[in-house]
Amino acid sequence: MTIQITIIKIEEYGPWTLKLGSDREGQLQIFQAKLYGHLQKMFSERDAIVYFNRFDELIAISNGLSTEDHLDIEREISDSYKDLDISMSIGIGATPFEANIAAHH
């Protein structure tokens, strides 16, 4: 059995947060919840699940998702959040740890 993990990263997160102004903490919390919900919906529709890792990074258990599935999700996020760039790295391994290492490479 193999495990597939997808690392979803918000690119340029630090500089992006500064664009929100000095009172951004509430806005960030709302945005992060909205983005997480949107990603969770899209991945769960494909029988996968997303977890927060850090504020700028999420991890999905994405067994069975194709590259095209990932591209569809990335396109929808790009269309929905014009000022935000995300990247996804997919890793496969015999264990979750091996899949995580593969995704980071």
Side-chain angles (χ1 to χ4, degrees):
M1 179 177 177
T2 60
I3 305 290
Q4 180 173 291
I5 290 178
T6 303
I7 298 172
I8 306 154
K9 184 165 178 56
I10 300 172
E11 298 295 332
E12 300 296 322
Y13 181 76
W16 176 80
T17 63
L18 295 176
K19 294 177 189 175
L20 299 176
S22 61
D23 61 343
R24 63 186 173 269
E25 189 57 38
Q27 293 177 56
L28 280 171
Q29 296 294 323
I30 293 166
F31 170 77
Q32 289 164 350
K34 183 178 172 183
L35 177 63
Y36 171 76
H38 198 164
L39 285 165
Q40 187 66 268
K41 180 180 182 299
M42 289 185 292
F43 274 87
S44 67
E45 288 170 348
R46 295 167 173 86
D47 296 323
I49 190 165
V50 176
Y51 299 96
F52 266 116
N53 185 32
R54 302 184 318 227
F55 292 114
D56 64 339
E57 187 176 277
L58 301 101
I59 295 178
I61 308 302
S62 57
N63 294 341
L65 269 67
S66 67
T67 301
E68 190 59 40
D69 289 326
H70 285 85
L71 290 171
D72 288 344
I73 291 169
E74 189 174 17
R75 279 197 262 329
E76 184 170 331
I77 292 297
S78 292
D79 289 346
S80 299
Y81 307 93
K82 298 291 185 195
D83 295 336
L84 184 75
D85 291 319
I86 65 166
S87 63
M88 291 190 212
S89 301
I90 304 164
I92 298 172
T95 67
F97 179 73
E98 289 176 7
N100 188 33
I101 295 298
H104 277 285
H105 290 310

